[in-house]
Every structure is written in structure tokens, then in C-alpha cells.
Amino acid sequence: MCIRDSTGDEEAYKDGHDAQCSDAVQATVCWYPPTGPQLMDNSALHVWVDNFPDLCTLVSDKTPPFLLLHGLQDRLVPYQQSERLYDALQAAGIPSDLYQLEGADHADCLFVQPEVKDRIADFLDKTMGNQPLPC
């Protein structure tokens, strides 16, 4: 798998480099994503969000499987941000899972415990299997 960007094999972004390789993302593991920052309390954000897209509107049949991880006590990016994306993925029929970490805040040390690492490895094994790398 060669991933230079997430253009999903769109010809407009091909540059001839690694032409035999797909640049489509095969699987996504996403920690506490701000999926629609316009819907959040912007005073909590440290980035400019006026032109940030609502990621839920970008879900398509080309969207790869997702594993979303989010702490239920996240004070920076509300847990509902992951719920929104999970609902959009499910509605589009995209394989996805939302893993809730009870008591975890944003970027909490609970995200690196063995149980979480095992869940990520299981997701990647299930999604990617033993696919040979084409490049």
C-alpha cells in the first residue's frame, strides 16, 4: 500500500510517481476527530475553522473503513463529534466501529493502554488482512 495522500486514485492528483500504486487510503484509525468544528464551542479550538469542512458530508462509497476512538470525558473535542461521523459512515454502509473510552479526556494516557492497542491491531488485521504491499 502506497499512500501519498488521500485523493482516492483521482487522476487530477497523479504525478507519475509510483504509478503502479494506489494512493487510496485502505483503512482509517481516528482519535477524537473534530468532524464538524463549526458545531463546537469555537473558544475551545486553537485553529481557524471558518473553512473547515464538515467531514460527515464527505463520506462516500470511496470512504475506507474507520475505527473511531473517543474519550467520553473529552473537554476539547466533544464525543458527539465522533458519533456524528460514525452515524454518517453507518448510513453510507461503510464498515466502521466507534470505541468509547470511559473516563478518558482528549489525548489521555488511556488511549495507549494495551486494550486500545489490541483493538487497533484487530481492526487493521480484519480490514487489511495479509494483503501484500504492492510497492
Side-chain angles (χ1 to χ4, degrees):
M1 166 177 65
C2 292
I3 300 175
R4 292 187 305 274
D5 48 41
S6 59
T7 57
D9 290 328
E10 292 182 25
E11 289 301 319
Y13 298 102
K14 299 287 184 184
D15 62 5
H17 185 74
D18 291 330
Q20 75 277 14
C21 299
S22 170
D23 64 2
V25 175
Q26 306 280 318
T28 305
V29 178
C30 199
W31 288 261
Y32 33 82
T35 59
Q38 305 83 348
L39 305 172
M40 296 169 49
D41 175 9
N42 286 350
S43 65
L45 296 178
H46 302 288
V47 296
W48 191 255
V49 298
D50 285 348
N51 295 316
F52 192 91
D54 182 338
L55 299 183
C56 299
T57 65
L58 301 177
V59 173
S60 75
D61 61 346
K62 292 183 179 180
T63 300
F66 263 73
L67 172 61
L68 299 159
L69 302 112
H70 212 123
L72 294 175
Q73 304 304 315
D74 194 319
R75 292 176 286 174
L76 182 62
V77 177
Y79 172 75
Q80 293 78 9
Q81 292 284 300
S82 281
E83 280 184 323
R84 292 179 68 249
L85 182 53
Y86 177 74
D87 290 346
L89 292 163
Q90 290 290 294
I94 304 300
S96 53
D97 190 20
L98 173 55
Y99 185 55
Q100 308 165 344
L101 280 86
E102 187 69 45
D105 195 359
H106 194 80
D108 199 297
C109 63
L110 293 173
F111 285 94
V112 295
Q113 63 186 326
E115 177 185 331
V116 175
K117 291 178 181 180
D118 289 345
R119 183 168 291 258
I120 293 168
D122 289 346
F123 167 77
L124 292 173
D125 284 345
K126 183 177 106 180
T127 304
M128 304 295 293
N130 291 325
Q131 297 178 26
L133 300 178
C135 337

